[in-house]
């Protein structure tokens, strides 16, 4: 059996949560997954919450949020928001860790720092970034929660979600609205609305904010 390491524990916890669900995750079940006692894991992580925090931190580090020299801020928003949304939809059980009030805040801190600093480095003024961050964070959180529910109901994969419009014709208008509000196309439209709102907030600034190029 390979030596127990923090990385091995995190990877095993990730696999267990994806397979069995977050509610089934305990230090005992993790020990069984690893073939060790729960007490052995406590030598590396003081609590279940610490393991979960490490899992969500590693998960967030896998997102496409690295700076691209010369990239314009709106392209950065499109790229990072797509990565966050579709990676979360592909791994909903792992993503759900972030909403835990005890675990999520610490696990998301590095991710939040990365995104905010990326836009600050591009030159976006703090007074503009504050409402933009609020819009982005609220939009991603709400869209993910509802899109995950819609796709689960329709047993759809994480991407290329489509709606059978013919089948919806007989439904009340409000049901048609909800059913078509969480498609990939709808998500892209929402991003463009955030970008348009950012330009309006910053006017008359030309918003030519870009990631610094390497010297």
């Amino acid at each position: 059996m390979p030596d127990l390491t923090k990385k091995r524990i995190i990877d095993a916890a990730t696999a267990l949560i994806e397979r069995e669900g977050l509610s089934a995750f305990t230090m005992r079940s993790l020990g069984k997954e690893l073939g060790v006692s729960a007490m052995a894991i406590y030598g590396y992580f003081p609590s279940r919450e610490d393991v979960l925090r490490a899992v969500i931190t590693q998960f967030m580090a896998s997102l496409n949020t690295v700076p691209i020299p010369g990239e314009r801020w709106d392209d950065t928003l499109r790229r990072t928001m797509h990565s966050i949304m579709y990676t979360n939809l592909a791994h909903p059980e792992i993503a759900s860790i972030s909403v835990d009030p005890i675990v999520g805040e610490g696990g998301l801190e590095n991710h939040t720092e990365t995104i905010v600093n990326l836009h600050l480095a591009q030159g976006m003024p703090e007074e503009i970034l504050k409402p933009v961050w609020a819009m982005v964070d609220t939009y991603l959180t709400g869209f993910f929660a509802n899109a995950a529910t819609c796709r689960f109901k329709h047993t759809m994969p994480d991407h290329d979600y489509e709606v059978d419009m013919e089948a919806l014709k007989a439904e009340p208008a409000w049901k048609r609205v909800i059913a078509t509000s969480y498609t990939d196309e709808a998500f892209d439209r929402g991003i463009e609305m955030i970008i348009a709102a950012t330009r309006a907030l910053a006017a008359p600034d030309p918003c030519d904010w870009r990631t610094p190029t390497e010297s």
Side-chain angles (χ1 to χ4, degrees):
M1 177 187 301
D3 292 336
L4 202 59
T5 63
K6 281 193 171 184
K7 181 66 166 62
R8 186 168 169 243
I9 292 170
I10 294 167
D11 289 345
T14 299
L16 178 61
I17 293 167
E18 295 226 70
R19 188 178 69 247
E20 304 293 340
L22 181 58
S23 61
F25 177 75
T26 64
M27 296 295 264
R28 181 173 294 180
S29 64
L30 178 57
K32 184 177 180 181
E33 181 85 0
L34 288 161
V36 300
S37 68
M39 290 305 298
I41 300 170
Y42 282 112
Y44 295 84
F45 292 96
S47 68
R48 174 181 181 272
E49 288 70 28
D50 285 300
V51 176
L52 292 176
R53 196 170 291 113
V55 168
I56 194 64
T57 297
Q58 178 173 280
F59 175 72
M60 290 298 176
S62 73
L63 300 175
N64 184 11
T65 57
V66 297
I68 296 179
E71 184 177 52
R72 203 171 60 187
W73 68 276
D74 50 347
D75 288 332
T76 300
L77 270 181
R78 293 182 185 100
R79 174 173 62 88
T80 57
M81 289 180 73
H82 271 99
S83 178
I84 293 166
M85 177 57 61
Y86 295 120
T87 304
N88 274 264
L89 285 172
H91 306 278
E93 287 294 337
I94 301 299
S96 69
I97 298 172
S98 65
V99 301
D100 186 305
I102 298 176
V103 176
E105 184 175 352
L108 290 175
E109 190 170 274
N110 289 340
H111 168 72
T112 301
E113 180 182 3
T114 296
I115 297 292
V116 172
N117 281 340
L118 197 163
H119 289 295
L120 287 173
Q122 290 178 323
M124 186 181 291
E126 279 191 47
E127 291 308 308
I128 298 299
L129 183 52
K130 288 175 185 177
V132 171
W133 173 257
M135 284 190 288
V136 169
D137 189 45
T138 302
Y139 181 60
L140 284 171
T141 302
F143 198 101
F144 167 70
N146 288 287
T149 300
C150 287
R151 292 166 199 235
F152 176 78
K153 286 181 179 178
H154 293 85
T155 62
M156 296 296 296
D158 59 289
H159 204 31
D160 296 327
Y161 172 63
E162 296 180 356
V163 176
D164 186 347
M165 295 302 298
E166 192 65 31
L168 285 172
K169 283 183 177 179
E171 296 289 349
W174 73 269
K175 284 192 174 183
R176 290 197 299 273
V177 169
I178 297 303
T180 57
S181 292
Y182 301 103
T183 63
D184 295 346
E185 182 182 3
F187 181 63
D188 287 342
R189 284 199 302 268
I191 295 175
E192 296 307 316
M193 291 171 69
I194 291 173
I195 290 170
T198 303
R199 292 187 184 280
L201 283 168
D205 191 311
C207 303
D208 190 25
W209 309 312
R210 295 175 182 270
T211 302
T213 55
E214 296 176 338
S215 57

